[in-house]
């Protein structure tokens, strides 16, 4: 207490900061709460060293030209200018945007349907829920390899179905556009169940008597869904959409393995610059910073959409 | 809500939709398994047959030629070992630092608790590709490119949120009464953690270990960036390469995919109840 009043006497102009500081001091005066900081320290240190420091370094590097055998030189925004004027990069942005919008929209629509069904309670519900976990456990890159076998022109079941339905003219994997849609299907297969499980967890915390009351008031099924389920499910929906959107935005494994390294996403563009080309290291790094910043913006938009009603980790 | 269907047709449609969902979810696994056990002629047959008819038999212990092919490939075996090493070390480190962190977040009410929790969760939204350029330069300086550590270090970062949030959910479920009693008897917080919480939450710790392991096992980007050759390349890097090694041997590609996924599928099905509750806990709380 004496420490806290002493701090107040020295810095009278900033009462708010002082509140946090004196509460922190309180934590360190208490042996148990002090131990808490020691307990979280290793994780925070790792995150700082492997996460935050490299990001800061990546941003710094994006303003330099890094070439093998020469000293890096400061080039300002040149890497970003080179990046935006590169048609490959613009193609990568377009592919990634189409992939993200299509896959997240489909996963959400199917996911909410499956979640509502699982929330109903029926014979065999447990088995259906267990099955939903199976695609989640697959390595993405291996799912891509498996689906690519099914998309093959020769003996591939997906190619056969698509041909019979007149959806395609030539081999699926020979066309970049068709491969992009094929990748969307793989992603929908792989992550819809997971979206459904996230939404199901949200549905299960909605009290049953809310529906009871609505039914007594004469609400039909659609009204119950749109007036009760959707608004109360909003936080779970926002979390699921945020998860999936950011995941799709950084898509790498799927494009890489589905198209034998030809279909470009933002992440494959970064990879090729940083790891394969000798001269485009810095442009690749600029694209990495671009993914980081756009991910931040997307996260901000979703959290804003979630609003102040979010239940911040209790 | 266990309400029954008023309309029998609705009931039929509902079950049909569920059957369709299960079918579509499991179909690729079935199809690729089928591809791995039939003869090349059947593999390339148009129209494809739904059930396997002509098996490509090999002597025990592999039973089917495609499995004999992939297990005869020294790269495939080496890759499996590499995957186990990388995912294993990542899991051990994540559990060691993550369990202590999760315990503090679950039990102790300190000022920075909520911000730290949000900060750790934010890592799972972080695009991994954003840090490959700086890590590449840094690892070059340390001389660890092409070693297991070049994969393990970044894998730890991205597995940690999963480890911490799963354990947090399990520790919260555990009543604090026993630890309180131990503290009354003079145990400090570390003793309460190691002697009481960890043994009591053993099932949760095992589930977390399995999920962290699967997460690291499935990692591809860092492995593809930092592993240079078969001395460290894990299965996720080797299997896509099979498309060029075994260009027309779709059976071998299928068999390799089955070998690396079936153990994961088995684990997930065994522990499914705990996994569902653990994975979704972070999202709703």
């Amino acid at each position: 207490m004496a420490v806290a009043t002493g701090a107040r006497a020295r810095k009278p102009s900033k009462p708010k900061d002082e509140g946090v500081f004196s509460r922190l001091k309180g934590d360190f005066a208490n042996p148990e709460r002090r131990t808490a900081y020691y307990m979280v320290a290793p994780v925070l240190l790792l995150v700082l060293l492997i996460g935050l420091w490299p990001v800061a370094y990546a941003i710094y590097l994006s303003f330099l030209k890094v070439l093998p055998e020469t000293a890096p030189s400061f080039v300002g925004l040149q890497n970003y200018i080179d990046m935006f004027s590169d048609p490959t990069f613009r193609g990568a942005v377009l592919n990634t945007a189409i992939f993200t919008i299509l896959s997240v929209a489909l996963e959400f629509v199917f996911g909410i349907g499956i979640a509502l069904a699982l929330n109903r309670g029926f014979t065999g519900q447990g088995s259906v829920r267990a099955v939903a976990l199976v695609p989640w456990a697959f390595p993405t890159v291996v799912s891509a390899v498996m689906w690519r076998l099914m998309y093959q022109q020769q003996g591939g079941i997906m190619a056969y179905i698509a041909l019979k339905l007149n959806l395609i003219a030539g081999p699926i994997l020979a066309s970049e556009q068709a491969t992009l849609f094929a990748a969307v299907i793989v992603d929908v297969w792989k992550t819809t169940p997971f979206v459904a499980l996230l939404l199901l967890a949200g549905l299960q915390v909605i009290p049953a008597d809310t529906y009871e009351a609505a039914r007594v008031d004469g609400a039909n099924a659609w009204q119950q869904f749109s007036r009760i389920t959707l608004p109360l499910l909003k936080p779970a929906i926002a979390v699921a959409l945020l998860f999936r959107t950011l995941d799709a935005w950084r898509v790498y494994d799927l494009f890489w393995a589905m198209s034998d390294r030809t279909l470009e996403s933002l992440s494959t563009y970064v990879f090729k610059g940083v790891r394969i080309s000798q001269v485009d290291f810095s442009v690749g790094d600029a694209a990495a910073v671009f993914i980081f910043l756009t991910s931040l913006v997307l996260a901000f938009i979703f959290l804003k959409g979630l609003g102040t009603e979010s239940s911040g980790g209790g | 809500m266990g309400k029954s269907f008023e309309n029998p047709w609705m009931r039929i449609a509902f079950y049909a939709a569920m059957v369709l969902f299960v079918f579509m979810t499991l179909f690729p696994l079935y199809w690729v398994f089928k591809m791995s056990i039939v003869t090349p002629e059947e593999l390339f047959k148009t129209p494809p047959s739904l059930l396997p008819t002509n098996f490509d038999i090999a002597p025990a212990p592999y039973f089917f030629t495609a499995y004999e092919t992939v297990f005869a490939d020294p790269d495939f075996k080496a890759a499996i070992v590499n995957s186990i090493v990388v995912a294993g070390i990542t899991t051990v480190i994540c559990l060691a630092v993550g369990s202590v962190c999760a315990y503090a977040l679950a039990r102790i009410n300190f000022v920075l608790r909520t911000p730290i929790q949000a900060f750790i969760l934010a890592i799972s939204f972080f695009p991994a590709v954003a840090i490959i350029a700086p890590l590449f330069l840094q690892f070059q300086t340390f001389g660890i490119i092409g070693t297991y550590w070049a994969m393990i270090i970044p894998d730890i970062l991205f597995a940690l949120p999963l480890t911490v949030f799963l354990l947090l959910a399990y520790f919260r479920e555990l009543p604090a009464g026993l630890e309180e009693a131990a503290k009354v008897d003079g145990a400090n917080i570390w003793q309460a953690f190691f002697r009481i919480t960890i043994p009591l939450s053993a099932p949760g710790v095992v589930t977390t270990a399995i999920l962290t392991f699967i997460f690291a096992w499935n990692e591809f980007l860092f492995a593809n960036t930092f592993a240079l050759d078969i001395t460290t390349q894990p299965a996720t890097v080797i299997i896509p390469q099979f498309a060029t090694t075994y260009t027309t041997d779709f059976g071998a590609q299928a068999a390799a995919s089955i070998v690396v996924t079936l153990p994961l599928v088995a684990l997930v099905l065994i522990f499914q109840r705990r996994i569902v509750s653990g994975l979704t806990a972070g999202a709703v709380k």
Side-chain angles (χ1 to χ4, degrees):
Chain A
M1 220 32 214
V3 182
T5 34
R8 190 172 300 148
R10 260 183 279 125
K11 279 187 181 174
S13 55
K14 282 189 177 175
K16 206 180 169 190
D17 285 359
E18 181 201 76
V20 172
F21 278 123
S22 64
R23 272 160 57 216
L24 271 178
K25 271 181 191 156
D27 271 2
F28 277 89
N30 174 308
E32 187 169 306
R33 280 182 275 154
R34 186 172 57 223
T35 313
Y37 287 93
Y38 300 145
M39 291 180 131
V40 297
V43 166
L44 293 185
L45 195 71
L46 283 172
V47 171
L48 206 70
L49 285 179
I50 319 172
L52 293 190
W53 158 246
V55 166
Y57 192 28
I59 295 171
Y60 166 73
L61 280 176
S62 72
F63 298 112
L64 302 180
K65 190 82 202 167
V66 180
L67 289 168
E69 315 292 325
T70 41
S73 56
F74 182 78
V75 291
L77 291 173
Q78 193 56 46
N79 291 325
Y80 290 95
I81 295 167
D82 289 350
M83 174 183 94
F84 281 114
S85 51
D86 182 357
T88 314
F89 174 77
R90 294 201 298 258
V93 173
L94 187 68
N95 283 345
T96 312
I98 293 173
F99 174 79
T100 304
I101 292 168
L102 281 182
S103 58
V104 175
L106 289 171
E107 283 154 21
F108 176 66
V109 171
F110 291 136
I112 200 160
I114 296 161
L116 286 170
L118 285 175
N119 196 35
R120 241 195 121 87
F122 59 93
T123 325
Q125 182 194 26
S127 324
V128 175
R129 209 181 56 164
V131 164
L133 277 174
V134 169
W136 174 84
F138 277 53
T140 308
V141 90
V142 174
S143 345
V145 168
M146 289 168 70
W147 279 82
R148 193 176 57 192
L149 290 170
M150 301 202 292
Y151 285 125
Q152 293 289 355
Q153 193 64 8
Q154 263 194 312
I157 180 94
M158 291 299 284
Y160 179 75
I161 294 171
L163 200 69
K164 283 284 155 203
L165 296 175
N166 278 323
L167 291 174
I168 47 158
I172 296 175
L173 299 173
S175 145
E176 194 168 288
Q177 241 184 350
T179 308
L180 182 58
F181 288 110
V184 169
I185 293 177
V186 181
D187 201 62
V188 169
W189 168 78
K190 183 161 165 49
T191 43
T192 298
F194 185 66
V195 172
L197 291 178
L198 280 182
L199 295 176
L200 176 64
L203 282 173
Q204 283 169 341
V205 295
I206 300 176
D209 49 1
T210 326
Y211 293 103
E212 213 53 63
R215 263 201 296 280
V216 170
D217 290 345
N220 64 30
W222 171 250
Q223 285 167 328
Q224 286 177 39
F225 176 70
S226 61
R227 307 265 172 85
I228 300 173
T229 311
L230 272 187
L232 287 176
L233 200 57
K234 207 174 141 195
I237 291 173
V239 168
L241 287 183
L242 174 65
F243 245 117
R244 287 304 311 140
T245 305
L246 294 186
D247 220 23
W249 190 242
R250 63 192 173 202
V251 59
Y252 173 78
D253 316 25
L254 199 52
F255 280 26
W256 187 264
M258 281 282 291
S259 71
D260 220 359
R261 314 170 181 202
T262 52
L263 187 62
E264 289 278 0
S265 74
L266 279 170
S267 291
T268 64
Y269 183 84
V270 174
F271 181 84
K272 284 181 182 169
V274 168
R275 201 60 192 83
I276 294 175
S277 141
Q278 292 280 304
V279 288
D280 287 337
F281 184 91
S282 304
V283 178
D285 182 63
V289 174
F290 175 81
I291 299 179
F292 176 70
L293 294 179
T294 45
S295 297
L296 267 188
V297 171
L298 286 170
F300 183 75
I301 293 170
F302 278 107
L303 293 176
K304 192 100 180 161
L306 185 60
T308 44
E309 77 219 85
S310 85
S311 47
Chain B
M1 333 170 261
K3 62 171 180 172
S4 56
F5 295 93
E6 295 103 38
N7 185 333
W9 288 109
M10 284 287 286
R11 185 189 178 84
I12 292 169
F14 178 85
Y15 277 99
M18 284 300 102
V19 169
L20 187 69
F21 170 67
V22 170
F23 176 77
M24 298 221 295
T25 306
L26 296 181
F27 184 76
L29 188 60
Y30 163 71
W31 191 259
V32 174
F33 177 67
K34 194 210 84 168
M35 290 183 80
S36 72
I37 59 171
V38 298
T39 56
E41 295 75 45
E42 185 165 335
L43 256 176
F44 294 118
K45 204 172 67 182
T46 309
S49 59
L50 271 179
L51 293 172
T53 44
N54 299 305
F55 299 98
D56 202 349
I57 310 282
Y62 299 114
F63 304 106
F64 300 104
T65 310
Y67 292 89
E68 199 173 31
T69 311
V70 293
F71 279 110
D73 186 324
D75 283 5
F76 184 67
K77 273 194 245 175
I80 300 270
V81 172
N82 292 338
S83 280
I84 292 172
V85 171
V86 171
I89 297 179
T90 304
T91 305
V92 169
I93 297 177
C94 281
L95 276 183
V97 295
S99 61
V100 180
C101 174
Y103 182 73
L105 291 173
R107 283 287 188 261
I108 307 169
N109 192 13
F110 55 108
V111 174
L112 293 182
R113 174 154 108 164
T114 312
I116 286 174
Q117 212 170 297
F119 179 70
I120 295 171
L121 185 63
I123 302 298
S124 47
F125 297 128
F126 185 92
V129 76
I131 57 171
I132 62 169
L135 286 184
F136 189 78
L137 291 185
Q138 204 88 87
F139 288 170
Q140 235 169 7
T141 318
F142 299 152
I144 58 167
I145 298 271
T147 68
Y148 288 135
W149 290 107
M151 290 176 271
I152 293 167
I153 291 170
D155 281 0
I156 290 171
L157 175 71
F158 289 95
L160 264 178
L162 182 73
T163 315
V164 170
F165 274 83
L166 285 168
L167 287 173
L168 187 55
Y170 293 123
F171 291 160
R172 278 204 188 120
E173 272 172 27
L174 215 63
L178 275 172
E179 296 157 39
E180 293 305 326
K183 277 188 241 167
V184 170
D185 290 345
N188 66 28
I189 189 124
W190 292 100
Q191 288 166 327
F193 172 67
F194 282 113
R195 304 249 176 93
I196 295 174
T197 313
I198 287 288
L200 282 180
S201 50
V205 174
V206 170
T207 312
T208 308
I210 289 169
L211 288 179
T212 309
F213 188 88
I214 292 179
F215 185 88
W217 178 276
N218 291 355
E219 205 283 326
F220 176 63
L221 174 64
F222 295 127
N224 203 25
T225 310
F226 300 126
L228 303 178
D229 55 43
I230 192 57
T231 54
T232 52
Q233 279 170 339
T236 47
V237 174
I238 288 301
I239 286 181
Q241 284 178 9
F242 273 17
T244 36
T245 324
Y246 300 96
T247 327
T248 52
D249 193 347
F250 289 176
Q253 295 183 40
S257 306
I258 293 294
V259 171
V260 296
T261 47
L262 268 194
L264 307 187
V265 170
L267 277 178
V268 162
L269 290 182
I270 293 167
F271 290 92
Q272 51 111 352
R273 224 163 255 289
R274 302 192 146 271
I275 291 173
V276 171
S277 58
L279 277 183
T280 50
V284 285
K285 274 176 192 153

